Amino acid sequence: MPLLPADGRFLERSLELAELAAAFACPNPTVGCVLAIQENVQGEGAHFFAARDHAEIAALKAASAAHHEVRGATAYVTLEPCSHHGRTGPCADALIAAGVRRCVVATVDPNPLVRGQGIAKLRAAGVDVLVLDPESPLVIRARRLNDAFAFSIQHGRPFVTLKAAVSLDGRIAPPSEIRTAREPFWLTGPAARADVAQLRHTSDALLTGIGTVLADDPQLTDRTSLPRRRPLLRVVLDSHLRTPVASRLVQGAADDLLIVCDRDANHALQGALEQHRLEVVRIQDLSRPQSLARVLDLLQQRGIRSVLTEGGSALNGALLGAGLVDRVVLYYADRELGPEGLPFARGFPSPYLLQERLTRQERTSLPNGQTEDVRVTGYLHDPWQDLGDSLR
């Protein structure tokens, strides 16, 4: 079945709807849907977890509320309609019952419980189904929205994005002895920092180490002012439990701060910390690299699909060394910090060497006064690599 002239426009709209719901759908996938007859939109919707309805059901209800016909319509969905019973019934069944004639799907569902079955059910009922080419820009955009869901549902742990601002000579900060204590060091400009704010907004959790807490006294909050379904969970890896009670993280905690320490760490401080609406979790041998996987398991059990890391050399190196980084976002500043500057990652002194391993790389320039910062993104693990296009 060929792609019709209006298909791209309506899929674009379904993606816009999905993007509006990006911080509201987790732990479910982010999905948008448009129902159209010829050039007319009959109904549209997106999935908001708290509202329960999947995007297809929301679009059908919107059409019904507006007294718009949907029999004979085309459904444009950013993700394959589900075929199983979960919190709600199968969306494929609802589209069939509504009399939808055609369905254009941006990408298959990575969930093993659904993958291909929703498409098969629609086709068995006589619905014409078109699945886009995986290399289409619309597909790439649709998949990027659900990278975390795709990886987490298949691999049983959160999707980890390592974010770092680095100098041209691969350093992340000047030597500690010339830095101002407990003050953040800004290597990149306001545009890059605004870009990071969007990364935080679309992440479920932010992971850092005690070294960053002691050096910068950060808040690590979502400061976009955009609404979200649940607070950004801030996670501190603190083997010896040294997080200061007076730190901005602790003083600003509102049931959104998790401090992970070693089982034998400072017991006296735990009580004082827990008076500030935070949680302390103890893990055996936290300082050992293999314990990082246990931390991610803990987050997966709490419904966390995506983790953004904002740490120093030790945390970056530990995560990379354990093979637990899936996507990398590097912000290169147009300056050097010299050989005494802090390296990008322990064991990975040059981000350029890491960059050579990234697939699907993208480069974006971000203005910074008279110069510019450059954002480089890419994947170490592609959440969609095993799906192919066999269902087209």
Side-chain angles (χ1 to χ4, degrees), residues 43 47 61 96 123 136 152 156 194 197 203 260 289 291 294 303-304 336:
H47 175 58
K61 287 185 175 180
I96 292 166
R123 285 174 172 163
S136 163
S152 179
S203 299
V260 184
S291 294
R294 292 162 58 194
I304 298 297
E336 296 186 357

Side-chain angles (χ1 to χ4, degrees), residues 18-41:
E19 288 164 350
L20 290 172
F24 292 94
C26 186
N28 286 354
T30 302
V31 185
C33 175
V34 171
L35 299 170
I37 295 179
Q38 296 180 346
E39 295 292 318
N40 300 312
V41 173

